Amino acid sequence: MIVLVALLLAPPQIVIATPRGETTVRVTTERGAAAVAAPLLVGPLDLTTTLDGSQATVGLGGTVFVFQIGAPFVRARGVVYALSSAPYVARDTLFLPLDWLVVSLPRVLAARYRWDAAAARLEDMGVDVLPPSPAPLARTAPVAGLLGGANPLTGLRLRHAIVIDPGHGGADPGNPGLYFPGGLVEKDITLRVGKLLWAELTRRGLAARLTRSADTLVALVDRGASCSAECDLFVSIHVNAMPPGRRRDQARGVETYFLSDAKTEDQARVAKMENDAIRFEMGAATFGAAGPLGFILRDLQLNEYLRESARLAELVQERVSVVHPGGDRGVQQAGFMVLNTARRPAILVETGFATNPADAVFLASSLGEHKLASAIADGIVAFLVEFERKLTVAAPAAGRGGGSR
């Protein structure tokens, strides 16, 4: 009752305080109930929105909130929360009920957000809200019964952990985003897609974690190294770009890489562009592909990860190319430093070209980012389903003693 009274006396504006600073956001009561225009929350909260018919999807802090336009409810993490008013669309803008922002959000993400009613202030404590990863997949474990039956969304029976790497961050902006609106650069797009991918994998019952969940710089060697004992797959998200030239804005589309020697000049160009991020790392030692890369490749050839990485890249590329308006540039290979230290199947997705006007619009749109995240998740699940099928075939053979013919 106290909350409802407070909402009836809604402030004309609220303050959103984050580790990056404070932002004042106007509150509207044009339809009788307090609401906030969703675009005003994109900057301070790094919020993403998708409007599909009567359904609005909001991504925030790695959690997906699903609204129905005109209905005073929101669904998050499998729980439905009542709202005092309904979301609506006016002037092509999505408006969200104020009590979602000041009541539901701090309830769902209590570890990170706190509402100070007296000061009309929403505080972001900057604490990661990602749940702890479950036990990693034992790669030789028997399939039956580890999850008490197949996951109804994926058909998977084992626990799987995926590390998602939003490329660049902090002092390293990535490519400048030639055609991105509002000053966005590569690091912004990769973080948004990475968070959406985390939410999508979590929704499907998989354990996922991000190498970064904010605008921070993570060393290239540390990104891949985060996928070792407690990890099954490593997926790095990036945005492509062409160098200046007459045909700069013509290249477009998505391509997915795995770690191996580059076979073309274009593959080598992309690897060099992404590897140049090492210059932002204080005291970073540069090393050529012929040394560490050669060692890693020899190591990979002694196990199945090179082959598995290529298959993971193929399955992800198949799914993403279907939803990408720029088309299919295929599976590629090159010597990416970020993949060097991953001790599991590892891929790098170049989600499109910031130097192409149409690709840039798609990548900077909430709908495009959601499509990319969902398609990458589809490819990951398809790979894990194949992996589990191989285990079911191998298990009976091992039970028979594994004798050779």
Side-chain angles (χ1 to χ4, degrees):
M1 185 64 180
I2 295 175
V3 172
L4 292 178
V5 171
L7 288 173
L8 290 173
L9 301 174
Q13 60 189 30
I14 63 172
V15 174
I16 298 177
T18 75
R20 300 184 301 275
E22 295 187 357
T23 303
T24 300
V25 176
R26 186 172 69 88
V27 176
T28 179
T29 55
E30 63 180 352
R31 295 202 176 180
V36 176
L40 298 180
L41 305 175
V42 171
L45 292 179
D46 198 20
L47 173 144
T48 62
T49 62
T50 299
L51 190 60
D52 185 5
S54 63
Q55 180 172 292
T57 303
V58 173
L60 175 62
T63 295
V64 175
F65 295 83
V66 180
F67 300 83
Q68 291 294 324
I69 301 301
F73 301 98
V74 62
R75 185 174 74 253
R77 296 182 175 178
V79 178
V80 176
Y81 299 89
L83 302 170
S84 64
S85 60
Y88 63 90
V89 176
R91 302 176 296 281
D92 295 324
T93 298
L94 172 65
F95 286 82
L96 300 172
L98 179 62
D99 62 332
W100 167 74
L101 190 65
V102 305
V103 178
S104 302
L105 178 61
R107 181 182 301 170
V108 177
L109 302 179
R112 180 160 186 172
Y113 295 100
R114 185 176 72 88
W115 170 247
D116 182 345
R121 176 186 175 96
L122 180 68
E123 296 181 355
D124 176 358
M125 279 80 76
V127 179
D128 288 345
V129 296
L130 306 183
S133 299
L137 165 65
R139 302 187 70 82
T140 57
V143 172
L146 288 189
L147 287 179
N151 182 311
L153 290 178
T154 62
L156 295 169
R157 294 178 177 271
L158 295 174
R159 298 186 184 276
H160 298 278
I162 297 97
V163 170
I164 303 163
D165 174 45
H168 308 280
D172 173 17
N175 78 64
L178 181 62
Y179 289 107
F180 287 153
L184 292 173
V185 292
E186 180 180 5
K187 68 175 181 179
D188 303 314
I189 303 299
T190 61
L191 183 58
R192 281 158 43 164
V193 174
K195 286 182 174 180
L196 290 172
L197 177 57
W198 177 88
E200 183 61 25
L201 291 175
T202 301
R203 183 184 70 83
R204 302 187 192 198
L206 298 168
R209 55 193 174 89
L210 296 161
T211 57
R212 68 180 182 97
S213 57
D215 186 16
T216 55
L217 180 65
V218 181
L220 289 175
V221 66
D222 292 336
R223 293 172 184 261
S226 64
C227 183
S228 54
E230 297 185 0
C231 172
D232 297 306
L233 303 175
F234 179 82
V235 180
S236 192
I237 309 296
H238 288 262
V239 177
N240 217 331
M242 291 296 289
R246 188 176 60 181
R247 301 172 61 86
R248 183 182 195 184
D249 62 355
Q250 295 182 22
R252 64 179 306 203
V254 60
E255 54 193 19
T256 306
Y257 283 81
F258 64 95
L259 179 66
S260 193
D261 286 324
K263 292 186 175 180
T264 68
E265 289 185 4
D266 194 57
Q267 291 174 349
R269 174 193 63 78
V270 176
K272 182 180 184 303
M273 176 180 66
E274 303 297 0
N275 291 344
D276 277 349
I278 200 171
R279 71 184 187 275
F280 293 99
E281 300 171 21
M282 295 299 294
T286 58
F287 48 84
L293 178 58
F295 172 81
I296 295 297
L297 290 174
R298 286 193 296 274
D299 181 60
L300 287 170
Q301 289 165 359
L302 297 176
N303 55 54
E304 64 212 70
Y305 297 147
L306 179 59
R307 182 173 62 253
E308 288 187 354
S309 295
R311 181 57 177 159
L312 174 60
E314 180 181 353
L315 290 170
V316 168
Q317 180 67 20
E318 284 178 1
R319 271 63 175 185
V320 178
S321 62
V322 170
V323 304
H324 201 294
D328 184 0
R329 293 177 62 88
V331 173
Q332 312 288 342
Q333 60 186 65
F336 291 93
M337 291 182 186
V338 73
L339 303 182
N340 277 354
T341 50
R343 285 296 188 258
R344 292 291 184 267
I347 61 172
L348 185 147
V349 184
E350 292 284 359
T351 54
F353 284 79
T355 47
N356 177 271
D359 270 16
V361 169
F362 176 73
L363 291 171
S365 71
S366 179
L367 179 60
E369 290 162 0
H370 275 82
K371 285 185 175 181
L372 287 170
S374 181
I376 295 171
D378 288 342
I380 289 172
V381 169
F383 174 84
L384 292 172
V385 168
E386 281 191 4
F387 176 77
E388 290 192 0
R389 286 174 182 165
K390 291 177 182 177
L391 286 184
T392 61
V393 172
R400 292 192 298 268
S404 59
R405 291 182 292 175

